[in-house]
Every structure is written in structure tokens, then in C-alpha cells.
Amino acid sequence: MKNKYYYECVDCGNKIETTEVVYLCPICEKKQDKNLPPKGVLKVLFNYSDLKTKTFKSLEKKHFIDLLPINSAKSLGFLRVGNTPMYKISKLENQKLDFSLFIKDDSQNPTFSFKDRASILVSAFAKENKIKTISAASTGNAGSSLAGICASQNQKAIIFVPATAPKAKLTQIVMYGATIIPVMGTYDDAFDLCVEFSKKFGWYNRNTAYNPLTIEGKKIVSFEIFSQLKQILPDRIFVPVGDGVIISGVYKGFEDLLKCGFISKIPIIIAVQAEGSQNLIKNINSKSFKYTPSKTIADSISVDIPRNFNMAVQFMKKYKGESIIVSDKEIINASTLLSKNTGIFAEPAAATAFAGMLKYKEMNLIQKDSKNLVLLTGSGLKDLNSVQSEITIPEPIDPKAKNLEQLIKNRLS
Ligand SMILES: *Cc1c(COP(=O)(O)O)cnc(C)c1O
């Protein structure tokens, strides 16, 4: 192998060795059916036996570069992407937990979502290959992420989004100076348009899963988890799932660590989906993929045909992953509980993972003293609308009112 890495097709096993831009496996790409998940998503693989013999003292940031398909950490620019905080929560609703609960707060990324992990690697690869323009289709977060990352890296971003995306996400895209193309249609329409026009105009496409580097960028979270827990693995990780790229990234990170000999097993990963968009979980064991049109308040995980279905399911089967469905009501309740108990306000898609953990807890599926981690993937400020029906902001008080003391007393009760 002359390069540091190569690609392998998750469907046919075809190996591709190149440092040029590649998207899907050229053999499987010809067999697409628009009602089925895409075939030919590529996995980036390394020469693990070489890496094993290297003496890594720790898995600090500077070492991650050995497990990334880029040449230099300098290409990752100046924004702090990843290295997000991990908190240990010992109490919920004033009750002491009899297991360890960790929260990895990825809303603390530059554009306030987990998507920055993928955008930064795609952007770094573009930089090293002298590509100036990067495109993406997005339900909102991937687009706002790519727009922000490109702004920091002096690159041009072109973003296709459904016109109905939450306003904060649309605003971010425009503020970061990207070219925004709102589409009168669904995310799937935006995705296809982005692929078509990227080919036509020669833009580098960051579409999730379609670009294999999106999975590689997301895997870094697992290296961080391992290092933040002082090289002890959690027993369980709750991950919100839409297209299945984050969950594949989490698995891929641990699989890399396994292949390098740093760990000897992979944690149980729980895919959490919304009741109104459960197309990945519902099809895990089905012979032929069938989807139901999605409807959920968790817009970032509202997906009809998961773009990384094949890889995600392969990982889940190989490493005995679990899954759980939560309703929109459970998502909102979880979001409220999380905010009140921790000061962390998550967007609905992120709160979905927390809702999954709460449901496991209610069902007594979390063993005493086990270590559990919830991946919070985005900030609540990105989608204020979804919680408006759940809250009331009271009428203003008149500071000159005679009964002001009484008015304030009433609010306290
Ligand atoms: C994109 C996204 C997800 C889901 O990731 P997939 O790779 O689509 O499964 C979850 N939460 C947030 C906040 C996201 O933006």
C-alpha cells in the first residue's frame, strides 16, 4: 500500500486506493434504486498493523492525525472543532443515579452541532487538494456547519436546504457568507440537486455518507470519549440516528481503536430514533427496505431513506448494537428535564438520545454501576420553534405597579 489509507465498499468489498476525490463505489453506484438506501458507501481503512507498532503514549489530539485521511493537522484550521466537554451527571430530578451517566456536549462545536466534525475533515482534505468550493445538501445543521467551517478556512460553500429548515439554521448559513439555495421540496430533493450540480460545476460535495470523509470526521468523537474517560470504555452509548452517519462514525472510531489494539471490545451502542421517523430501526431485520414518510419535531433526524443505512446496520449487527424508539412527547419531556437538571439546552434531535437513555432507565435496562454515555449532538437555540408549544413566557409586569411585591410573589410559587 503506497498511501496511508484506502477505501473499501461496504456492499461489495471493492478496494480503491487513491488520494483523489472519491464518493461512492463505482461498481455499486450503477445499481442504485431511488427507493432504497444508496449502495456503495465507502469506508476509509488504514494500515493498522503499522499503527499498532507505533508507540502511541496517549490518544491526544496530535496523534489522531495517524488515523485520518489527511496529511497535516494544520489543514484543520484554527476553530476549535471537537474536544467538546464531557460531564458526569450524578443526580436527575433530585434522585441519585445508581449508574454513571456521562454527557458529551457536542453543541459546544463552533456552529453548535456535531456536524462540524465531518465538515472540518472535508474542508481539510479540500485544502490539501487545493479545492476552493465545497457543496452540501442538508436539513440545516450540515449546511450551517459547512458554511461556518468554510468561512474559517477561506473556502466557498454552496448549500442546498429545504426551504422549511429552522430559521436559525438558515440564518447561520447566510451569516457565514455561504451561497444558500433553498429548495421547495424535501431534504431528498435537495440531496439529489446537490449531487447533480456539484458534478456539473465541479464542486467538492460534502453530502453525508456520499462523501466517505463525513464518517471519518465523525469517528473522532470515539477517540475523545476513550481519552476523556481515561482509556476506560463506557458500557453503553446512546446516539440519535437519522441518516446513520453519526452512529457509523462512533462505531468506526472504536473499530479503529480495536484494530490498533488499544481496546479489546466495542461498547454497546444504542440507536435512538423518533417514532415519526424510524426508517433505519424498522428495517434492520427486514429483507426488503420499506420506508414510511417521516414526521417528527426532531428535524435533524427526520429521514425517509437513511443515506448510510447499509453501513450502520452492518456495524450494529457485527457489534450487537441495540435500538429504541421514542415519541415526540418523550423527546420534548427529555429536553425539558435535561435543561432543568443540567443547564444544557439541546435541540430535539439531540434530546432524542437523552430520551432513549431515560426510557432504558424506566425499563430497568441500565445495570447498577454501569457506565452510560449520551451523545448530545446539537444546541437547543438552533430550533426554538419546536419547544414553543411546551412553554409559556408570562405577561410582563409593570415596574410601577402598586402590588408589585404580590405580583412577583405569585411568580415564585
Ligand atoms: C445530523 C444530526 C443527527 C443525526 O445524524 P445522522 O448521521 O443523520 O444519523 C442527530 N442530531 C443532530 C443535531 C444532527 O444534526
Side-chain angles (χ1 to χ4, degrees):
M1 187 167 80
K2 63 179 189 303
N3 303 323
K4 171 178 170 188
Y5 63 94
Y6 61 98
Y7 299 89
E8 189 179 275
C9 172
V10 289
D11 295 303
C12 75
N14 178 27
K15 290 184 176 50
I16 303 167
E17 201 177 335
T18 179
T19 51
E20 314 254 296
V21 171
V22 274
Y23 300 113
L24 300 175
C25 162
I27 302 164
C28 292
E29 191 175 14
K30 297 198 185 85
K31 301 183 215 154
Q32 306 300 11
D33 175 333
K34 72 173 179 24
N35 293 310
L36 296 177
K39 288 192 187 68
V41 173
L42 298 175
K43 199 167 170 181
V44 178
L45 295 172
F46 296 81
N47 193 344
Y48 295 99
S49 48
D50 275 7
L51 290 170
K52 245 184 211 168
T53 56
K54 274 195 182 179
T55 49
F56 287 7
K57 281 237 161 47
S58 68
L59 270 167
E60 297 304 314
K61 193 177 179 213
K62 56 186 185 297
H63 297 294
F64 293 171
I65 203 74
D66 289 335
L67 282 165
L68 292 178
I70 53 170
N71 300 318
S72 162
K74 283 203 189 83
S75 318
L76 296 166
F78 67 86
L79 284 180
R80 193 222 57 192
V81 178
N83 281 313
T84 54
M86 179 188 290
Y87 303 114
K88 184 166 187 209
I89 309 296
S90 48
K91 263 190 195 172
L92 284 178
E93 302 292 81
N94 281 322
Q95 287 207 317
K96 212 169 153 15
L97 299 172
D98 68 353
F99 56 86
S100 302
L101 177 60
F102 298 94
I103 284 181
K104 178 83 171 147
D105 185 10
D106 255 66
S107 69
Q108 301 293 315
N109 274 303
T111 77
F112 315 106
S113 87
F114 192 97
K115 296 290 193 286
D116 287 343
R117 294 181 179 276
S119 300
I120 195 67
L121 188 65
V122 169
S123 164
F125 180 89
K127 214 179 199 177
E128 293 187 354
N129 289 277
K130 314 239 168 341
I131 300 167
K132 292 294 282 177
T133 306
I134 314 177
S135 57
S138 163
T139 60
N141 280 343
S144 51
S145 168
L146 183 65
I149 296 298
C150 282
S152 78
Q153 295 261 70
N154 194 23
Q155 292 164 326
K156 171 122 195 80
I158 298 169
I159 313 293
F160 294 77
V161 270
T164 53
K167 193 142 183 205
K169 300 180 185 182
L170 297 172
T171 306
Q172 279 184 291
I173 297 171
V174 177
M175 286 304 291
Y176 294 135
T179 299
I180 185 171
I181 306 178
V183 178
M184 268 191 293
T186 62
Y187 167 55
D188 296 80
D189 297 326
F191 197 100
D192 295 343
L193 278 179
C194 184
V195 171
E196 185 187 336
F197 281 90
S198 299
K199 275 186 192 149
K200 237 172 228 165
F201 291 109
W203 307 323
Y204 181 39
N205 191 332
R206 178 223 179 275
N207 278 8
T208 199
Y210 179 76
N211 186 324
L213 267 52
T214 53
I215 301 149
E216 286 301 292
K218 290 177 174 189
K219 79 179 181 187
I220 298 174
V221 75
S222 301
F223 301 166
E224 289 176 21
I225 291 171
F226 182 59
S227 131
Q228 282 172 314
L229 286 177
K230 309 225 169 356
Q231 314 216 347
I232 292 173
L233 289 177
D235 296 294
R236 243 180 241 97
I237 304 178
F238 293 86
V239 181
V241 173
D243 276 313
V245 178
I246 295 184
I247 192 169
S248 299
V250 172
Y251 270 123
K252 176 58 165 49
F254 286 117
E255 191 175 65
D256 279 358
L257 294 180
L258 190 76
K259 287 180 175 170
C260 289
F262 286 113
I263 58 175
S264 55
K265 62 164 194 169
I266 286 186
I268 297 172
I269 298 182
I270 294 111
V272 192
Q273 287 204 291
E275 195 168 39
S277 183
Q278 44 171 298
N279 291 316
L280 189 137
I281 292 177
K282 220 169 53 189
N283 283 290
I284 290 177
N285 293 310
S286 62
K287 285 221 166 58
S288 58
F289 180 91
K290 283 193 190 66
Y291 72 91
T292 316
S294 302
K295 194 178 179 338
T296 166
I297 49 155
D299 67 288
S300 303
I301 51 170
S302 182
V303 171
D304 290 349
I305 303 178
R307 302 280 159 181
N308 207 25
F309 179 83
N310 294 351
M311 188 190 287
V313 169
Q314 234 177 58
F315 272 129
M316 289 177 72
K317 288 197 166 156
K318 187 165 178 194
Y319 298 114
K320 306 202 165 32
E322 298 175 6
S323 63
I324 192 158
I325 306 285
V326 292
S327 67
D328 277 8
K329 184 143 188 30
E330 286 169 321
I331 294 170
I332 292 290
N333 288 346
S335 177
T336 311
L337 191 140
L338 177 71
S339 299
K340 286 188 176 156
N341 282 270
T342 66
I344 300 169
F345 178 26
E347 71 163 271
T352 299
F354 194 71
M357 185 281 298
L358 290 176
K359 205 159 175 174
Y360 255 59
K361 178 172 169 285
E362 272 160 34
M363 294 161 78
N364 289 318
L365 291 173
I366 303 189
Q367 296 80 1
K368 191 166 174 284
D369 300 326
S370 62
K371 291 187 183 58
N372 301 272
L373 187 139
V374 176
L375 204 55
L376 291 183
T377 45
S379 162
L381 292 179
K382 276 177 164 275
D383 187 5
L384 291 176
N385 265 345
S386 65
V387 287
Q388 289 314 305
S389 60
E390 298 302 310
I391 61 167
T392 34
I393 296 169
E395 289 296 306
I397 53 165
D398 176 356
K400 295 192 201 82
K402 288 206 182 67
N403 57 344
L404 192 58
E405 198 177 320
Q406 193 54 46
L407 284 175
I408 290 176
K409 253 191 195 157
N410 291 349
R411 293 281 159 87
L412 295 175
S413 58

